[in-house]
Structures are given as C-alpha cells and as structure tokens.
Amino acid sequence: AVNKVNLLVPKGSIYALLGPNGAGKTTTIRLLLGLLKPDYGEIEINNINVVAQPKEIRGKIALLPQISAAYHDLTPMQNIKFILELNNIHFDDVKNELNYYLRRLDITADLLLKPFSKLSGGEQRAISFIMTIILNKDFLILDEPTSGLDISRGKYVREIILDLAKKGKTILLSSHIISDLEELAEYCGIMKNGFLTFQDKKEKLIEKYASSTENFEEAIIQAFRAPINGD
C-alpha cells in the first residue's frame, strides 16, 4: 500500500497530501497515527518516534477524519466536553476560544443541545472540525475539512486553518476540493500506487506539471497521470 515513502512535512506549514483513490494516503495517515506499524523505516513527528512512543505521539496529534468520530446520541456540547476530558483539558480554559469558533462557524446555542445525529451534514462537519482544533495540538491531520460545508462555513474553515498555521501549527491536509488546496497548501506531496512521486512547494508542482503558472488544477491532474519511475 505504501512503498518507500519519504514524507517530509516542515514544521509550521500546511502540507497537502494528494493522490487518486487507492494511492496510499489513508494508509500513510494510519502510519503517522501509529495505528499501523511500518515493515521498515522510521516515522518521527517533532523528534518523537511513532512506533517506539505511540501514546506520546497521539497526545500531540489531532485528527479530523473523513467520517465523523463524534457520538451521534450525544449533543455537540457533550461531544466537545467529552473530547476535552479525554485530553485532560478543562472546559473553562478553552471556553472563550470555543465560543469564538462557534460564532465563526455559525453554530448557535440551540444546535449545541440537539443530538448530533439530528444536525445537518454541514453542521456535523463544522462541529467535528471544532472538536479537532480546540485540543490545541501541535500537529493537525485534516481529512477533507470542508467537505459538505456551505460557502460561508467553508470560507471560515479555510481562514481558521491559515490562522493556525501562522500560529505555528503543522497541518497535513488531504482534500479533493481544488479551491481548498489552492488557497491553503504551501507544500504538496503526490502519491500514486503507494509511491510518493512528487514532494515540494506548490509553486514547484505548478511549474513542473502545468502549462501556465495559474493552472493549479491542471498541475494536479497531470501529476496524477505522470508515470512512476519512468514506467
């Protein structure tokens, strides 16, 4: 699933991990989380070995999975308080920050008291995003962060992600939404058939694969189609 991938995510950057379905992106994320062990090689995040110190590394990573991990029979506020408790974070210590994110993403007080299952897909996604970032982890893995969001919430999620990167958070982003990638990605990694076929700044990707300096979408498509190892 993953073959000789040498992934380098600079600290404080937004790195977009891209590739067609079945490229190995999900397996790579599971390896980073310590959910899978590599057959060979090392995985380090902030100089912490993922295999040797799995509990320590999980305490430094926050994951937004593609499918929400919230408990659907609990309310959004109960879910938020539960994830804070699991991470030994007092609610009062993040209350102001939480209220800021809730206002930005238009999550009203009545929505916080409904069962999670009764929320719309966009509302569920916005709450899941807040549950991820409120933990204040150094390394964020965001899988399709704006999927299902309306234009307004999508805009504010992108702005929040950029603000987090400016504050020094390291963000690994996976998305199929071109506008997200174009606005957010500083570095890009292209995976295909388990190989990392490209890794550099976004501008280098465009320079290598696109016919013009403005066609980021074309660069991604051509990178996906490019042969591996000259095949």
Side-chain angles (χ1 to χ4, degrees), residues 33-86:
L33 292 169
L35 300 176
L36 295 175
K37 290 185 178 181
D39 295 324
Y40 56 87
E42 301 290 338
I43 305 171
E44 289 189 352
I45 298 175
N46 287 350
N47 297 318
I48 299 173
N49 189 290
V50 172
V51 175
Q53 300 165 282
K55 290 184 179 179
E56 186 173 351
I57 200 62
R58 288 174 196 165
K60 296 185 179 296
I61 298 177
L63 169 70
L64 175 65
Q66 192 169 357
I67 299 175
S68 174
Y71 289 95
H72 282 230
D73 54 339
L74 299 181
T75 67
M77 184 56 76
Q78 288 172 329
N79 270 292
I80 291 169
K81 289 184 175 180
F82 179 62
I83 197 70
L84 289 172
E85 184 177 347
L86 284 180

Side-chain angles (χ1 to χ4, degrees), residues 69-71 76 79-80 83 116 126-135:
Y71 289 95
N79 270 292
I80 291 169
I83 197 70
F116 192 84
I127 291 293
S128 297
F129 176 72
I130 291 172
M131 288 172 62
T132 303
I133 63 174
I134 200 63
L135 301 179

Side-chain angles (χ1 to χ4, degrees), residues 95-105 160 163:
K95 187 176 181 179
N96 291 338
E97 187 177 10
L98 174 62
N99 286 333
Y100 168 75
Y101 289 135
L102 292 172
R103 288 195 303 271
R104 286 289 297 275
L105 298 182
I160 290 169
D163 287 342

Side-chain angles (χ1 to χ4, degrees), residues 169-213:
K169 304 299 183 186
T170 304
I171 299 169
L172 183 66
L173 172 71
S174 180
S175 178
H176 290 94
I177 301 176
I178 295 297
S179 58
D180 286 358
L181 301 171
E182 194 158 18
E183 182 175 346
L184 297 175
E186 182 181 358
Y187 292 85
C188 293
I190 304 292
M191 292 193 70
K192 184 176 179 181
N193 296 339
F195 290 90
L196 188 66
T197 59
F198 177 89
Q199 179 173 236
D200 208 329
K201 288 194 171 185
K202 176 177 65 180
E203 292 78 13
K204 294 292 185 181
L205 177 72
I206 297 172
E207 181 182 317
K208 182 173 181 178
Y209 291 107
S211 57
S212 74
T213 57

